[in-house]
C-alpha cells in the first residue's frame, strides 16, 4: 500500500470511532474536507459506500462496518511492525544477525545465542562457511559476523571477542609410525604431508594454520587441499597425510583409524575469534561479544561443557 492508501484506512478507522467528521479531522490534524476526500477515495477503491452521512448523524454502512472489522486488526499489526522498526532504527538495532562459522557450534556459543534472543530479541541465523574462505562472505556483506580462527589482519575487520586458546594436536593414521608415541616434535612435521585448506584465505592466515617451515627451517610439505573436516580425517586415515586440529575438535571426532598427538615445540595455540566488519559494527554484535565472554568465563563452566571446535590446515 502506498502512503495515500494507508491514510485512507487510518481515516476510516478514526471516523468509525468518532462518527463525526469534525472530531475525526481534529484527531488526524487535517481539515474536514480532507477527511471527506480520503473516505471518498477509499470508497472508490473498494467499490462500495462505507459511510452514510446526513445532516444529523454519521454512521457506517453495513458493508463499511464489515470492512472496518476486517481491516482494523491488519492495520494495527502493520502499525506495530512500523513502530518496532522505527525503534530498532533509532537504536541502530538488528533483529537478526547472520553469523558464519567453521566446524561446529558448541554449548557455550549456543548459550550466548539463546541469551541474545531472550534478553535482546535478536535471532542468530547460522551459516557454515568454506574452510579456506574465512572472510569472503563477511567482507562482501553476506554475513554480519563470523566465528573463525585467528589471526585477523584485514584493515576492514574487527575482532570483537577472542575465545580461550586451545592446544593444537597432530592427526595421523593409527597405522602411521608416529602413532606409537605419546607426542611428536614440531620438527617431525617436515617428514609429513600436511593437509591445507582450499580457498581464498590470505597467506598469513593459512600460515597460522600450519607454518610453512619448522623452527629449524625445514619446509613442511602440503600437497593436498581439503574443503571439509571430514574429508581431511578420511585422508588422514588413509595414511598418506596428516592434519593439525585443535584439542576440542579432536575430543569430539574420535576414530579408531586416527590418532591425535600433542606437538612439542609448536609456537602458537589455536584460537577462535568473533569477527565483524568495522564499518558495520552494530550494538547487537558487541552485546553478543559480552554474552560470549559470560558464557565462557561466568555463566557456563568451560570445564563442564564442550568447547568450540577449531581446525588447522594450510
Amino acid at each position: 500500500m502506498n502512503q495515500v492508501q494507508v491514510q485512507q484506512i487510518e481515516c476510516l478507522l478514526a471516523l468509525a470511532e468518532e462518527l463525526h467528521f469534525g472530531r475525526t479531522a481534529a484527531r488526524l490534524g487535517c481539515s474536514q474536507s480532507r477527511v471527506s476526500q480520503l473516505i471518498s477515495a477509499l470508497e472508490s477503491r473498494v467499490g462500495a459506500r462505507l459511510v452514510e452521512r446526513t445532516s444529523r448523524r454519521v454512521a457506517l454502512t453495513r458493508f463499511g462496518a464489515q470492512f472496518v472489522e476486517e481491516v482494523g486488526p491488519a492495520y494495527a499489526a502493520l502499525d506495530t511492525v512500523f513502530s518496532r522498526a522505527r525503534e530498532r532504527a533509532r537504536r541502530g538495532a538488528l533483529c537478526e544477525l547472520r553469523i558464519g562459522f567453521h566446524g561446529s557450534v558448541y554449548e557455550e556459543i549456543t548459550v550466548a545465542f539463546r541469551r541474545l534472543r531472550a534478553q535482546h530479541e535478536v535471532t542468530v541465523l547460522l551459516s557454515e562457511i568454506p574452510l579456506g574462505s574465512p572472510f569472503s562472505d563477511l567482507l562482501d556483506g553476506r554475513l554480519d559476523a563470523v566465528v573463525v580462527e585467528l589471526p585477523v589482519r584485514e584493515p576492514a575487520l574487527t575482532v570483537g571477542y577472542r575465545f580461550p586458546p586451545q592446544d593444537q594436536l597432530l592427526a595421523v593414521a593409527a597405522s602411521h609410525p608416529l602413532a606409537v608415541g605419546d607426542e611428536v616434535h614440531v620438527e617431525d612435521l617436515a617428514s609429513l604431508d600436511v593437509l591445507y585448506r582450499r580457498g581464498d584465505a590470505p597467506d598469513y592466515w593459512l600460515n597460522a594454520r600450519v607454518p610453512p617451515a619448522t623452527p629449524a627451517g625445514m619446509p613442511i610439505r602440503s600437497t593436498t587441499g581439503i574443503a571439509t573436516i571430514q574429508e581431511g580425517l578420511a585422508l588422514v586415515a588413509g595414511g598418506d597425510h596428516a592434519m593439525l586440529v585443535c584439542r576440542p575438535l579432536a575430543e569430539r571426532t574420535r576414530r579408531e583409524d586416527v590418532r591425535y598427538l600433542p606437538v612439542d615445540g609448536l609456537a602458537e595455540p589455536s584460537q577462535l575469534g568473533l569477527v565483524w566488519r568495522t564499518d558495520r559494527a552494530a550494538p547487537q554484535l558487541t552485546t553478543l561479544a559480552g554474552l560470549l565472554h559470560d558464557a565462557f568465563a561466568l555463566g557456563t563452566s568451560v570445564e563442564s561443557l564442550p568447547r568450540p571446535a577449531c581446525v588447522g590446515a594450510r
Side-chain angles (χ1 to χ4, degrees):
M1 295 186 294
N2 59 36
Q3 184 180 7
V4 173
Q5 293 163 353
V6 172
Q7 289 178 344
Q8 292 167 0
I9 293 173
E10 182 182 25
C11 183
L12 177 65
L13 294 175
L15 184 61
E17 293 180 2
E18 300 292 344
L19 294 179
H20 190 280
F21 275 75
R23 290 195 297 270
T24 299
R27 175 171 166 177
L28 299 179
C30 62
S31 65
Q32 291 190 46
S33 61
R34 178 59 177 163
V35 172
S36 296
Q37 291 171 359
L38 291 171
I39 296 300
S40 296
L42 183 58
E43 288 176 332
S44 296
R45 183 172 181 80
V46 171
R49 290 290 302 276
L50 303 174
V51 177
E52 291 180 343
R53 180 182 184 184
T54 68
S55 58
R56 294 186 176 183
R57 63 189 292 269
V58 175
L60 295 176
T61 65
R62 183 176 179 181
F63 192 94
Q66 182 179 355
F67 182 75
V68 166
E69 182 179 353
E70 293 176 348
V71 80
Y75 177 84
L78 181 62
D79 186 59
T80 299
V81 169
F82 274 98
S83 296
R84 291 176 177 172
R86 284 193 296 268
E87 177 61 19
R88 289 196 300 270
R90 184 185 66 80
R91 295 184 286 111
L94 299 173
C95 61
E96 294 179 343
L97 287 179
R98 301 164 298 168
I99 297 181
F101 67 96
H102 283 156
S104 300
V105 179
Y106 289 103
E107 182 64 19
E108 294 94 338
I109 301 178
T110 59
V111 164
F113 291 164
R114 290 197 299 270
R115 288 176 179 168
L116 186 67
R117 180 169 185 173
Q119 299 172 14
H120 304 278
E121 298 183 349
V122 178
T123 300
V124 172
L125 304 178
L126 290 174
S127 173
E128 187 169 5
I129 56 179
L131 279 180
S133 300
F135 310 130
S136 296
D137 287 344
L138 181 57
L139 289 170
D140 291 343
R142 291 186 289 271
L143 295 173
D144 299 307
V146 291
V147 176
V148 295
E149 289 140 311
L150 302 179
V152 175
R153 299 174 187 163
E154 308 304 301
L157 299 181
T158 293
V159 180
Y161 175 71
R162 296 174 184 270
F163 293 78
Q166 306 291 343
D167 293 335
Q168 291 199 76
L169 305 180
L170 182 70
V172 296
S175 58
H176 194 280
L178 290 175
V180 299
D182 294 328
E183 68 175 18
V184 298
H185 193 270
V186 65
E187 295 298 326
D188 291 327
L189 297 180
S191 66
L192 303 171
D193 190 350
V194 182
L195 296 169
Y196 69 89
R197 300 187 188 189
R198 294 195 302 269
D200 56 7
D203 288 343
Y204 75 82
W205 190 85
L206 294 172
N207 291 340
R209 311 281 68 77
V210 174
T214 68
M218 298 297 293
I220 298 175
R221 189 162 55 106
S222 294
T223 65
T224 304
I226 59 171
T228 69
I229 297 303
Q230 295 304 319
E231 177 187 0
L233 291 174
L235 289 171
V236 167
D240 294 328
H241 302 278
M243 181 170 64
L244 283 169
V245 302
C246 75
R247 184 178 296 277
L249 183 137
E251 292 172 351
R252 290 164 180 80
T253 53
R254 296 290 183 184
R255 295 175 53 139
E256 293 295 327
D257 52 1
V258 173
R259 280 209 64 196
Y260 300 100
L261 302 169
V263 183
D264 181 34
L266 195 62
E268 297 294 332
S270 178
Q271 187 174 24
L272 292 171
L274 175 67
V275 183
W276 59 73
R277 273 179 48 169
T278 305
D279 63 350
R280 296 189 180 182
Q284 287 65 37
L285 291 171
T286 54
T287 297
L288 176 58
L291 292 173
L292 286 168
H293 174 271
D294 293 345
F296 278 89
L298 301 173
T300 304
S301 169
V302 176
E303 289 74 23
S304 64
L305 289 175
R307 297 174 181 176
C310 43
V311 295
R314 194 185 71 179

